[in-house]
Amino acid sequence: MATIKPPQTWKAGYAQPSETATWTLEDFNSTEDGKKFHHVTPPFDESLSSITHNSLGLNTVRTWPTLYNGTESPQGVPNWWNPPEEVDVLICGAGPFGLEMALSLARQGVTFRIIDKEEAPLLAGRADALHPRSLEILHSWGLAYEFAEEGPILHHTVFFRNGEKMIYSRAYQSDSRYRGSHIITQAQIEKIYIRDILRHKVLVERSTIVDQFAVESDSSTAYPVRANLKNLKTGKPQTVKAKFLIGAEGAASGIRKQLGIPFDGVTTDIHWGITDCKFETDYPYITTFGVVVNTEHGGCIVVPREDGYTRIYTKLSGERVKELAEDHRESGGRVDAHTITPDDVLEQTNRVFAPFKVSFAAPVSWFAVWKVSERVARSFSSPSLRVHLGGDASHVHSVFGAFGLNSSIYDASNLSWKVGLCARNLASTTSLLPSYDLERRLFANRVIRASGAYMRFVSGSDLPLAQLRGEGDELETYLDDLPALDGTREGDMKWLGEFFAQQKMFVIGFEVPTPISTICPPMNENGKPRPITVENGRRAPNPRICFDEGTTGYLYDKMTGVSRFHILIFGSNLQGTVRAQLARLSQQTLGPKGFFAKYGGRAMFNIVLVLKALTHEKEDLLKAEEMQNLRDFATVVYDDRSPDEDAHYWYGINHARGAVVAVRPDLWVGMSCWPEETSMLEEYFGGFLIKQGELSNGVHEST
């Protein structure tokens, strides 16, 4: 929310301006005879949204400390708040990544505490968009609708060079239900997260840091992490024991520093002025996502926001910026630049936008000067696998591509189910958790190169791309094949065309590097046909399907949750050869001796049977005795669309043989097999899950 919204009324069935808000009126807080209501409207603050302002006044936003400030609530903590001294997971940091870890762990029944050094959550500014892949993950957690409906969707992209329009086209879209990028402020996102964990009886413990921590080497210790907490206001110490510690406290992470993990990369001398405001302009695309480049003065990025506001990122230059370059903090981020005002940045914006004119039309909602640092932690996990980093604590980069907040969601969705399973003694720590660093660090390294290349193009910088250690020559040359820029219109167009041809699906979160691991085994390379065309480690496609006679939706609607594996069984019309194979699967694989029962049954696996059938045909198709386990354990969905758009087509299914697909909790394909080869499923899950009721080295490792 950019500013305080004026009062509204819905008396006509839709929002209209009102003189007062009913929640402030005494008549709505008492009965006719004057008795006060039991519910007490919590106090609110109207706080300045920016510490720097323009000449048009001050902008404020309304906040509710009793809802969002956790243990710093002015009304104190609720009587049910009694945090334990021993927990499965201690989360240090309540920014996006820390809160995302919290809401996922809460859904798994994993005990945790979450602390943060700040007294309150973010009020305004910072991240500004969610990729469609992020929304797919948030949908599986039950929260996507709150985010997707907040601000505009970026439907189009425009590119201007020296005042001339060079590109106007649809923004890159996907086959996701969410299509493109959705605008929402980080402050609103954090509020949604905090409301969520509050429903799970968890408060953010504010004004609190991890002063020191240690990990015991004795593998039989139930809670090997010992963390000394310190309240920054009272100085009161407290010791918390945990199975795992999560470093989520941002780019200057103390957890990363105590682990001694290098932060590889470069701190640049590139600074951006970021201004959220309403603007008056003759530039015709102020409500469209755009890039404006001036070959003499640099570049700007234009992001349409909610409530008629716009964010403009402006590349800064000049003597005052040279002074800021003396700040050599490796983490980069917001810099203390009192000598640079919104009017200074607006002046530079007009140089870039020329011949168009831009002026302020409202008080500034948020303003910051941001120094770009491009760094990746050399490891996201401690050698003990008991301490893990994510979000800005593990990687920082430019704003280009909106990778920051989105990467935190990808980090949390990757790590949270793995830590959750290990904390609950359902998976082997030593087998499963190394895949977090392997997958997410490689992704982060590519973000640095891709975001950095885009930033250098817009800002006219010849700074070499960051060199990152630990991933080999292939990474070091990633994107080095882009065409050289020669300062011409044709050169710019060629560069943009090749960059986005390579990066468009990576930028919106759909393309990821897929390193081989326990949870992403190599595919059959001996020339034999594969059961599906989708590769291991890729996004599980999300086609439209039918649920019953009156309801349709997407396959992901039946693939929700944070820690269950989704076993997709494609059965065509359940006739002929495929019927015999699925009957055997029903009796053996889903029987008492199959992997399904051995590794947790319904609590661990969500079985979805995808049929090329109509809803009224289900009973006859599954009534045979040999189909009983499929009847009992599978959710049946109906693939009744035409062959050129149905789910079998999307996954590349052989209708004569069918297929089985194991999809990870974070909605990436783990592996696939033919229905008659489901011993491969037991081999796959046996590589990292622990058989229920058995003790093994894995159990001892993950206690």
Side-chain angles (χ1 to χ4, degrees), residues 1 122 147 150 184-193 195 306:
M1 192 175 298
L122 187 68
F147 299 93
E150 181 73 20
I184 179 172
T185 66
Q186 183 174 325
Q188 289 295 90
I189 289 171
E190 290 187 14
K191 288 177 182 177
I192 293 170
Y193 290 157
R195 289 198 300 268
E306 71 284 8

Side-chain angles (χ1 to χ4, degrees), residues 268-290:
T268 76
D269 60 356
I270 297 173
H271 293 74
W272 293 86
I274 311 171
T275 311
D276 286 354
C277 197
K278 289 184 177 180
F279 294 96
E280 192 171 290
T281 180
D282 57 351
Y283 172 70
Y285 296 99
I286 197 66
T287 59
T288 301
F289 176 80

Side-chain angles (χ1 to χ4, degrees), residues 256-269:
R256 185 189 69 241
K257 291 174 181 177
Q258 189 175 156
L259 288 172
I261 295 175
F263 213 22
D264 294 327
V266 61
T267 298
T268 76
D269 60 356

